[in-house]
Amino acid sequence: MTLAEAVLAAMWLGVIAYALFGGADFGAGIWDLLAGGSHRGAGQRALIEHSIGPVWEANHVWLIFILVVLWTAFPPAFAAIASTLYIPVLAAAFGMITRGAAFAFRAGVETLAERRVLGAAFAIASLCTPFFLGTVAGAVASGRVPPGIAAGDVVTSWLNPTSLFSGVLAVVVCGYLAAVFLCEDARREGHPELAERFRARALGSGLVAGALALTGIAVLRADAPLLFAELRGRALPVVAASAVAGLVSLALLLRRRYVAARVTAAAAVTTVLCGWAVAQYPYLLEPGLTIDQGAAGPATLRAVLGSVVAGAVLLVPSLVFLYRLFQRDAARAGVDPAP
């Protein structure tokens, strides 16, 4: 493994972490949107607020990490992505800001009308943000971001079948992760009726994600032939592992094994991202920019890798402690059951 590949692998771990934790965070907002009216959805929204309230800001540390490493260690790729895909990138950034502000302010307002407006802003932004992030991933994966400043079409680079498919799939996967995670949160806090509601949503969104994945085969074959060829080639074992993990996760949900379902759901998403990485290797931007061509100098890469290792020693234990601490505190606080 070269120095550039080691830095890229560390960055990809950040991508996986953001997809899992940030994805579940976005998905919780989607279920907030679909919880129902003020009375019927009160219990579900209370559970969501208890689950993500203490950690939703912390999840974005992974996105900051990804952007800093990409910008510092692979500047040509960062420049090409930022200049060609600035429309969906800005839309995602606006969604994050709107979502965070609405979530924070909703807890402090008193009238029902104000809570509804802010709740709608939070939920709609939670839906739109992963969609736009998914279109960015689809644009890169389908080879529509050539090296250079704004060298790709700023519209068709992300408004195309592969990007739209990736955006929709990202939304569904976020909803699936959130529902799986919320099942155990609800049961741990003593509300089996909420656990059953989120179990049904996890099963439904998991089946939809599986159907989308099958549909995506035709989309990629027609619209991204290079990616499709690699996915059915060297990346096929990883893709197959993702399918198996997804099926096992659904089976565990049927048996109400929520903790184990969390693990297999996370494994399914992780292997999807690993499959994309294997399929695209050795390119940063397929087919015009390899990892070695897009990497910064050896001194910069060594500094970035050293910083990543040192930061991980501080960050990872802190985040683990944060998640464990606030999940325990949420369990003690309890959540009012849904009417």
Side-chain angles (χ1 to χ4, degrees):
M1 178 182 287
T2 66
L3 186 59
E5 290 171 347
V7 174
L8 185 62
M11 189 192 80
W12 204 250
L13 290 176
V15 172
I16 293 171
Y18 188 61
L20 294 177
F21 297 108
D25 191 6
F26 290 130
I30 295 170
W31 294 126
D32 188 287
L33 177 66
L34 302 176
S38 302
H39 179 69
R40 183 174 180 273
Q44 297 172 65
R45 292 190 176 98
L47 176 66
I48 290 168
E49 289 184 2
H50 271 293
S51 296
I52 72 172
V55 298
W56 66 273
E57 291 177 299
N59 292 329
H60 292 297
V61 72
W62 298 113
L63 180 61
I64 297 169
F65 167 73
I66 295 163
L67 294 176
V68 170
V69 173
L70 183 62
W71 171 45
T72 307
F74 305 98
F78 180 88
I81 293 170
S83 59
T84 296
L85 299 174
Y86 68 87
I87 295 176
V89 168
L90 285 175
F94 182 74
M96 293 175 197
I97 295 169
T98 302
R99 180 180 184 276
F103 184 76
F105 288 135
R106 184 172 68 170
V109 298
E110 297 181 357
T111 68
L112 180 59
E114 290 174 327
R115 288 186 61 84
R116 283 177 173 173
V117 170
L118 292 172
F122 163 70
I124 293 172
S126 297
L127 177 70
C128 294
T129 302
F131 172 79
F132 285 114
L133 291 175
T135 63
V136 171
V140 174
S142 60
R144 287 183 165 89
V145 184
I149 303 299
D153 190 290
V154 298
V155 176
T156 60
S157 59
W158 65 280
L159 283 179
N160 59 75
T162 299
S163 291
L164 295 176
F165 161 73
S166 299
V168 173
L169 183 62
V171 171
V172 174
V173 168
C174 287
Y176 172 64
L177 284 173
V180 173
F181 289 178
L182 287 167
C183 285
E184 176 57 23
D185 286 354
R187 183 168 68 176
R188 185 182 61 247
E189 294 175 10
H191 300 296
E193 70 286 348
L194 288 178
E196 287 299 310
R197 290 189 184 186
F198 283 110
R199 171 176 173 267
R201 291 176 176 182
L203 289 169
S205 56
L207 291 174
V208 171
L212 279 174
L214 292 176
T215 304
I217 295 174
V219 174
L220 295 180
R221 182 175 183 178
D223 189 60
L226 290 177
L227 177 64
F228 176 76
E230 295 297 342
L231 287 174
R232 63 180 290 190
R234 61 185 175 186
L236 185 59
V238 187
V239 174
S242 177
V244 171
L247 291 173
V248 172
S249 180
L250 293 177
L252 290 169
L253 286 169
L254 287 172
R255 299 183 61 186
R256 296 175 176 80
R257 301 277 300 277
Y258 298 138
V259 174
R262 283 183 171 188
V263 175
T264 52
V269 175
T270 298
T271 45
V272 166
L273 292 172
C274 290
W276 173 22
V278 171
Q280 190 157 321
Y281 181 84
Y283 293 99
L284 284 171
L285 300 175
E286 196 171 20
L289 185 69
T290 65
I291 297 172
D292 291 334
Q293 290 170 345
T300 301
L301 293 176
R302 284 193 291 270
V304 170
L305 189 58
S307 299
V308 168
V309 173
V313 172
L314 297 174
L315 175 65
V316 174
S318 299
L319 287 176
V320 170
F321 177 72
L322 177 69
Y323 292 136
R324 289 176 62 89
L325 174 66
F326 282 104
Q327 284 210 344
R328 182 182 62 195
D329 287 349
R332 290 175 177 174
V335 175
D336 292 334

